[in-house]
Amino acid sequence: EDKVVQSPLSLVVHEGDTVTLNCSYEVTNFRSLLWYKQEKKAPTFLFMLTSSGIEKKSGRLSSILDKKELSSILNITATQTGDSAIYLCAVDGGGTQGGSEKLVFGKGTKLTVNP
Amino acid sequence: EAGVAQSPRYKIIEKRQSVAFWCNPISGHATLYWYQQILGQGPKLLIQFQNNGVVDDSQLPKDRFSAERLKGVDSTLKIQPAKLEDSAVYLCASSLLTGKEETQYFGPGTRLLVL
């Protein structure tokens, strides 16, 4: 059974700190790894990492995929209170039909950034 | 572009009652997903449709849960009868079938409380 484990489950930092969130996975047919940010409602997409795109960056957020170690990290530099959210990692093991996705999510890391 | 719409946003019922949730995906998205997110957990896939056909319902508790997408557009998820452990947020997501980035867009979710 495909599995995604995130750590830590909870993290409290001060504004300006840099944080690293971890995600490890076991999946039979890896296609991609995705990071989502979830505030009070729906998860919003951050990054997709694949074998051909193992490093992504957007502003203060960056992510790296280590296919050898079956893991990924999400870095946030110069954190702000608006970064407070649950960060979800998901792995796409491929659906049974065509190119459809099948995502397995981790439990998430709850990040709290205090002023 | 309008996002994924879900209703109702909140629902409180007693155990053994029935409940139905509705989802309208982004226009043109062939694939529709229903997820269950229990507090403190990541979303768990319940069922995946491609157009009006079921692609994956392996994690749907079929003795009490059912879902349909009759015309290949909007979808309903029903629970009958509900149990206390069904209390969760039910997320609907949709995607194109291309596999490119930002493939799954999530709706705001329906928060269900079973008393």
Side-chain angles (χ1 to χ4, degrees), chain A residues 36 38 40-43 45 48 56 88 96-97 99-103 105-107, chain B residues 33 35 37 40-43 48 50 55-56 58 91 97 101-104 106-107:
Chain A
Y36 287 85
Q38 187 173 30
K40 291 195 175 175
K41 35 189 178 178
F45 172 84
M48 176 189 276
K56 294 286 175 72
L88 294 167
T96 54
Q97 288 191 16
S100 64
E101 287 186 330
K102 181 172 181 177
L103 298 184
F105 283 85
K107 291 186 178 182
Chain B
Y33 310 80
Y35 290 88
Q37 187 173 22
Q41 306 279 327
Q48 176 184 344
Q50 187 170 311
V55 171
D56 186 343
S58 56
L91 294 165
L97 205 55
E101 289 210 14
E102 299 189 53
T103 51
Q104 286 195 31
F106 284 83

Short mmCIF file of all heavy atoms in Angstrom, two decimals, chain A residues 36 38 40-43 45 48 56 88 96-97 99-103 105-107, chain B residues 33 35 37 40-43 48 50 55-56 58 91 97 101-104 106-107:
data_model
loop_
_atom_site.label_atom_id
_atom_site.label_comp_id
_atom_site.label_asym_id
_atom_site.label_seq_id
_atom_site.Cartn_x
_atom_site.Cartn_y
_atom_site.Cartn_z
N TYR A 36 1.14 20.88 -1.07
CA TYR A 36 -0.03 21.75 -0.99
C TYR A 36 0.03 22.54 0.32
O TYR A 36 0.56 22.06 1.32
CB TYR A 36 -1.34 20.94 -0.98
CG TYR A 36 -1.73 20.32 -2.29
CD1 TYR A 36 -1.22 19.08 -2.67
CD2 TYR A 36 -2.63 20.96 -3.14
CE1 TYR A 36 -1.59 18.51 -3.88
CE2 TYR A 36 -3.01 20.38 -4.34
CZ TYR A 36 -2.48 19.16 -4.70
OH TYR A 36 -2.86 18.58 -5.90
N GLN A 38 -2.57 24.21 3.07
CA GLN A 38 -3.97 24.20 3.47
C GLN A 38 -4.17 25.14 4.65
O GLN A 38 -3.66 24.89 5.74
CB GLN A 38 -4.44 22.79 3.82
CG GLN A 38 -5.94 22.71 4.08
CD GLN A 38 -6.44 21.28 4.26
OE1 GLN A 38 -5.71 20.41 4.73
NE2 GLN A 38 -7.68 21.02 3.89
N LYS A 40 -7.60 27.46 6.10
CA LYS A 40 -8.81 26.95 6.76
C LYS A 40 -9.71 26.17 5.83
O LYS A 40 -10.72 25.62 6.26
CB LYS A 40 -9.56 28.11 7.39
CG LYS A 40 -8.79 28.68 8.58
CD LYS A 40 -9.65 29.57 9.43
CE LYS A 40 -8.86 30.00 10.66
NZ LYS A 40 -9.58 30.97 11.48
N LYS A 41 -9.38 26.13 4.58
CA LYS A 41 -10.28 25.44 3.67
C LYS A 41 -9.53 24.51 2.72
O LYS A 41 -8.84 23.60 3.17
CB LYS A 41 -11.14 26.43 2.92
CG LYS A 41 -10.46 27.76 2.59
CD LYS A 41 -11.44 28.77 2.06
CE LYS A 41 -10.74 30.10 1.80
NZ LYS A 41 -11.63 31.10 1.24
N ALA A 42 -9.67 24.72 1.42
CA ALA A 42 -9.19 23.74 0.46
C ALA A 42 -7.67 23.80 0.33
O ALA A 42 -7.06 24.86 0.41
CB ALA A 42 -9.82 23.99 -0.89
N PRO A 43 -7.03 22.66 0.11
CA PRO A 43 -5.59 22.67 -0.20
C PRO A 43 -5.34 23.45 -1.48
O PRO A 43 -6.08 23.31 -2.46
CB PRO A 43 -5.25 21.19 -0.38
CG PRO A 43 -6.35 20.44 0.28
CD PRO A 43 -7.57 21.29 0.13
N PHE A 45 -2.38 24.29 -4.40
CA PHE A 45 -1.17 23.70 -4.97
C PHE A 45 0.03 24.61 -4.83
O PHE A 45 -0.06 25.82 -5.04
CB PHE A 45 -1.46 23.41 -6.45
CG PHE A 45 -0.27 22.97 -7.24
CD1 PHE A 45 0.10 21.64 -7.25
CD2 PHE A 45 0.45 23.87 -8.00
CE1 PHE A 45 1.19 21.22 -8.00
CE2 PHE A 45 1.54 23.46 -8.74
CZ PHE A 45 1.91 22.13 -8.75
N MET A 48 4.93 20.74 -7.96
CA MET A 48 4.96 19.34 -8.40
C MET A 48 6.40 19.01 -8.74
O MET A 48 7.06 19.76 -9.48
CB MET A 48 4.08 19.11 -9.62
CG MET A 48 4.19 17.69 -10.15
SD MET A 48 3.36 17.46 -11.72
CE MET A 48 1.69 17.18 -11.21
N LYS A 56 12.24 22.88 -7.33
CA LYS A 56 11.36 23.97 -7.71
C LYS A 56 11.50 25.11 -6.71
O LYS A 56 11.77 24.88 -5.53
CB LYS A 56 9.90 23.50 -7.74
CG LYS A 56 9.59 22.47 -8.82
CD LYS A 56 9.54 23.08 -10.19
CE LYS A 56 9.35 22.05 -11.28
NZ LYS A 56 8.01 21.48 -11.32
N LEU A 88 0.76 19.99 3.19
CA LEU A 88 0.49 18.60 2.84
C LEU A 88 1.42 18.15 1.73
O LEU A 88 1.64 18.87 0.75
CB LEU A 88 -0.96 18.44 2.37
CG LEU A 88 -2.05 18.67 3.41
CD1 LEU A 88 -3.40 18.80 2.72
CD2 LEU A 88 -2.09 17.53 4.41
N THR A 96 -5.63 4.16 -12.59
CA THR A 96 -5.71 2.93 -13.38
C THR A 96 -6.08 3.20 -14.82
O THR A 96 -5.97 2.33 -15.67
CB THR A 96 -6.78 1.98 -12.78
OG1 THR A 96 -8.00 2.68 -12.67
CG2 THR A 96 -6.34 1.50 -11.41
N GLN A 97 -6.50 4.43 -15.11
CA GLN A 97 -6.91 4.74 -16.47
C GLN A 97 -6.16 5.95 -17.01
O GLN A 97 -6.13 6.99 -16.39
CB GLN A 97 -8.41 5.04 -16.52
CG GLN A 97 -9.29 3.82 -16.34
CD GLN A 97 -10.73 4.13 -16.66
OE1 GLN A 97 -11.05 5.14 -17.27
NE2 GLN A 97 -11.63 3.25 -16.25
N GLY A 99 -4.00 8.97 -18.09
CA GLY A 99 -3.04 9.78 -17.35
C GLY A 99 -3.55 10.28 -16.04
O GLY A 99 -2.97 11.20 -15.48
N SER A 100 -4.66 9.72 -15.54
CA SER A 100 -5.26 10.28 -14.33
C SER A 100 -4.33 10.11 -13.14
O SER A 100 -3.54 9.18 -13.06
CB SER A 100 -6.60 9.62 -14.06
OG SER A 100 -6.45 8.25 -13.79
N GLU A 101 -4.45 11.04 -12.20
CA GLU A 101 -3.66 11.02 -10.98
C GLU A 101 -4.33 10.15 -9.93
O GLU A 101 -5.54 10.02 -9.90
CB GLU A 101 -3.56 12.43 -10.39
CG GLU A 101 -2.68 13.39 -11.11
CD GLU A 101 -2.57 14.68 -10.33
OE1 GLU A 101 -3.53 15.04 -9.62
OE2 GLU A 101 -1.53 15.34 -10.44
N LYS A 102 -3.51 9.60 -9.04
CA LYS A 102 -4.03 9.00 -7.82
C LYS A 102 -3.13 9.48 -6.69
O LYS A 102 -1.99 9.03 -6.58
CB LYS A 102 -4.07 7.49 -7.88
CG LYS A 102 -4.65 6.88 -6.61
CD LYS A 102 -4.87 5.40 -6.71
CE LYS A 102 -5.46 4.86 -5.41
NZ LYS A 102 -5.76 3.43 -5.49
N LEU A 103 -3.61 10.39 -5.90
CA LEU A 103 -2.80 11.00 -4.85
C LEU A 103 -3.00 10.30 -3.52
O LEU A 103 -4.12 10.03 -3.11
CB LEU A 103 -3.15 12.48 -4.69
CG LEU A 103 -2.89 13.39 -5.89
CD1 LEU A 103 -3.20 14.83 -5.53
CD2 LEU A 103 -1.47 13.26 -6.36
N PHE A 105 -1.94 11.18 0.36
CA PHE A 105 -1.48 12.32 1.15
C PHE A 105 -0.86 11.87 2.46
O PHE A 105 -1.25 10.86 3.05
CB PHE A 105 -2.67 13.23 1.50
CG PHE A 105 -3.12 14.11 0.37
CD1 PHE A 105 -4.01 13.63 -0.57
CD2 PHE A 105 -2.67 15.42 0.26
CE1 PHE A 105 -4.44 14.45 -1.62
CE2 PHE A 105 -3.10 16.25 -0.77
CZ PHE A 105 -3.98 15.74 -1.71
N GLY A 106 0.10 12.66 2.95
CA GLY A 106 0.58 12.52 4.31
C GLY A 106 -0.37 13.24 5.25
O GLY A 106 -1.35 13.87 4.82
N LYS A 107 -0.07 13.17 6.56
CA LYS A 107 -0.94 13.80 7.55
C LYS A 107 -0.76 15.31 7.59
O LYS A 107 -1.59 16.02 8.15
CB LYS A 107 -0.66 13.23 8.93
CG LYS A 107 -1.09 11.79 9.09
CD LYS A 107 -0.91 11.33 10.53
CE LYS A 107 -1.40 9.91 10.69
NZ LYS A 107 -1.29 9.44 12.08
N TYR B 33 -12.78 13.98 -8.19
CA TYR B 33 -12.36 13.20 -7.03
C TYR B 33 -13.17 13.63 -5.80
O TYR B 33 -13.43 14.82 -5.60
CB TYR B 33 -10.89 13.44 -6.70
CG TYR B 33 -9.91 13.31 -7.84
CD1 TYR B 33 -9.73 14.33 -8.76
CD2 TYR B 33 -9.14 12.16 -7.98
CE1 TYR B 33 -8.82 14.22 -9.80
CE2 TYR B 33 -8.21 12.04 -9.02
CZ TYR B 33 -8.06 13.08 -9.92
OH TYR B 33 -7.14 12.96 -10.95
N TYR B 35 -12.68 13.30 -1.66
CA TYR B 35 -11.76 12.96 -0.58
C TYR B 35 -12.46 13.13 0.77
O TYR B 35 -13.32 14.00 0.92
CB TYR B 35 -10.53 13.88 -0.57
CG TYR B 35 -9.56 13.70 -1.71
CD1 TYR B 35 -9.72 14.39 -2.92
CD2 TYR B 35 -8.46 12.86 -1.58
CE1 TYR B 35 -8.81 14.24 -3.95
CE2 TYR B 35 -7.54 12.71 -2.61
CZ TYR B 35 -7.73 13.41 -3.78
OH TYR B 35 -6.82 13.26 -4.81
N GLN B 37 -11.37 14.05 4.64
CA GLN B 37 -10.27 14.51 5.48
C GLN B 37 -10.74 14.58 6.93
O GLN B 37 -11.48 15.47 7.32
CB GLN B 37 -9.74 15.87 5.03
CG GLN B 37 -8.48 16.29 5.79
CD GLN B 37 -7.84 17.55 5.26
OE1 GLN B 37 -8.49 18.36 4.60
NE2 GLN B 37 -6.56 17.74 5.53
N GLY B 40 -6.82 16.26 11.61
CA GLY B 40 -5.46 15.81 11.92
C GLY B 40 -4.87 14.85 10.90
O GLY B 40 -3.76 14.36 11.09
N GLN B 41 -5.61 14.57 9.84
CA GLN B 41 -5.14 13.65 8.80
C GLN B 41 -5.07 14.37 7.46
O GLN B 41 -5.70 15.42 7.27
CB GLN B 41 -6.11 12.48 8.67
CG GLN B 41 -6.41 11.74 9.95
CD GLN B 41 -5.35 10.75 10.31
OE1 GLN B 41 -4.75 10.14 9.45
NE2 GLN B 41 -5.11 10.57 11.60
N GLY B 42 -4.35 13.77 6.53
CA GLY B 42 -4.40 14.27 5.17
C GLY B 42 -5.65 13.76 4.46
O GLY B 42 -6.30 12.83 4.93
N PRO B 43 -6.01 14.36 3.34
CA PRO B 43 -7.17 13.87 2.58
C PRO B 43 -6.97 12.43 2.13
O PRO B 43 -5.86 12.04 1.76
CB PRO B 43 -7.23 14.82 1.38
CG PRO B 43 -6.48 16.04 1.79
CD PRO B 43 -5.41 15.55 2.71
N GLN B 48 -12.96 8.21 -7.51
CA GLN B 48 -12.48 9.01 -8.63
C GLN B 48 -13.32 8.67 -9.86
O GLN B 48 -13.51 7.50 -10.19
CB GLN B 48 -11.01 8.71 -8.90
CG GLN B 48 -10.42 9.41 -10.10
CD GLN B 48 -8.98 9.01 -10.36
OE1 GLN B 48 -8.31 8.43 -9.50
NE2 GLN B 48 -8.49 9.31 -11.54
N GLN B 50 -13.91 9.49 -14.05
CA GLN B 50 -13.44 10.08 -15.28
C GLN B 50 -14.67 10.17 -16.19
O GLN B 50 -15.23 9.14 -16.58
CB GLN B 50 -12.36 9.23 -15.93
CG GLN B 50 -11.72 9.88 -17.14
CD GLN B 50 -10.51 9.10 -17.59
OE1 GLN B 50 -9.63 8.76 -16.79
NE2 GLN B 50 -10.43 8.81 -18.88
N VAL B 55 -13.41 5.38 -11.86
CA VAL B 55 -12.05 4.91 -12.13
C VAL B 55 -11.52 4.12 -10.93
O VAL B 55 -10.87 3.08 -11.10
CB VAL B 55 -11.12 6.11 -12.41
CG1 VAL B 55 -9.66 5.67 -12.49
CG2 VAL B 55 -11.53 6.80 -13.70
N ASP B 56 -11.80 4.62 -9.73
CA ASP B 56 -11.27 4.00 -8.53
C ASP B 56 -12.21 4.28 -7.38
O ASP B 56 -12.46 5.44 -7.05
CB ASP B 56 -9.87 4.57 -8.22
CG ASP B 56 -9.17 3.88 -7.05
OD1 ASP B 56 -9.84 3.18 -6.26
OD2 ASP B 56 -7.95 4.04 -6.92
N SER B 58 -11.89 2.02 -4.58
CA SER B 58 -11.39 0.96 -3.70
C SER B 58 -11.45 1.35 -2.23
O SER B 58 -11.49 0.48 -1.36
CB SER B 58 -9.96 0.58 -4.09
OG SER B 58 -9.12 1.73 -4.05
N LEU B 91 -13.90 16.78 0.66
CA LEU B 91 -13.34 17.65 -0.36
C LEU B 91 -13.61 17.06 -1.74
O LEU B 91 -13.43 15.87 -1.95
CB LEU B 91 -11.83 17.79 -0.18
CG LEU B 91 -11.35 18.50 1.08
CD1 LEU B 91 -9.87 18.25 1.30
CD2 LEU B 91 -11.61 20.00 0.97
N LEU B 97 -7.11 15.89 -17.87
CA LEU B 97 -6.47 14.59 -17.97
C LEU B 97 -5.11 14.71 -18.64
O LEU B 97 -4.67 13.81 -19.32
CB LEU B 97 -7.36 13.65 -18.80
CG LEU B 97 -7.18 12.16 -18.55
CD1 LEU B 97 -7.33 11.83 -17.10
CD2 LEU B 97 -8.16 11.39 -19.41
N GLU B 101 1.21 20.40 -14.58
CA GLU B 101 1.22 20.94 -13.22
C GLU B 101 -0.13 21.52 -12.83
O GLU B 101 -0.93 21.90 -13.66
CB GLU B 101 2.30 22.00 -13.10
CG GLU B 101 3.68 21.41 -13.13
CD GLU B 101 4.69 22.22 -12.34
OE1 GLU B 101 4.29 23.08 -11.56
OE2 GLU B 101 5.88 21.97 -12.51
N GLU B 102 -0.34 21.64 -11.53
CA GLU B 102 -1.60 22.15 -10.98
C GLU B 102 -2.75 21.31 -11.48
O GLU B 102 -3.78 21.81 -11.90
CB GLU B 102 -1.82 23.61 -11.35
CG GLU B 102 -0.73 24.52 -10.82
CD GLU B 102 -1.07 25.99 -10.99
OE1 GLU B 102 -2.15 26.40 -10.55
OE2 GLU B 102 -0.25 26.69 -11.59
N THR B 103 -2.58 20.00 -11.41
CA THR B 103 -3.58 19.14 -12.01
C THR B 103 -4.86 19.02 -11.21
O THR B 103 -5.91 18.85 -11.79
CB THR B 103 -3.00 17.74 -12.23
OG1 THR B 103 -2.42 17.28 -11.01
CG2 THR B 103 -1.96 17.75 -13.31
N GLN B 104 -4.78 19.04 -9.88
CA GLN B 104 -6.01 18.92 -9.10
C GLN B 104 -6.34 20.23 -8.41
O GLN B 104 -5.52 20.78 -7.69
CB GLN B 104 -5.89 17.81 -8.05
CG GLN B 104 -5.96 16.42 -8.65
CD GLN B 104 -6.18 15.34 -7.62
OE1 GLN B 104 -6.83 15.57 -6.59
NE2 GLN B 104 -5.68 14.16 -7.88
N PHE B 106 -8.98 21.94 -5.76
CA PHE B 106 -9.89 21.52 -4.70
C PHE B 106 -10.99 22.56 -4.48
O PHE B 106 -10.77 23.77 -4.59
CB PHE B 106 -9.13 21.32 -3.39
CG PHE B 106 -8.32 20.06 -3.36
CD1 PHE B 106 -7.06 20.00 -3.93
CD2 PHE B 106 -8.83 18.92 -2.76
CE1 PHE B 106 -6.31 18.83 -3.90
CE2 PHE B 106 -8.10 17.75 -2.72
CZ PHE B 106 -6.84 17.70 -3.29
N GLY B 107 -12.16 22.06 -4.12
CA GLY B 107 -13.25 22.91 -3.67
C GLY B 107 -13.08 23.25 -2.20
O GLY B 107 -12.17 22.75 -1.54
#
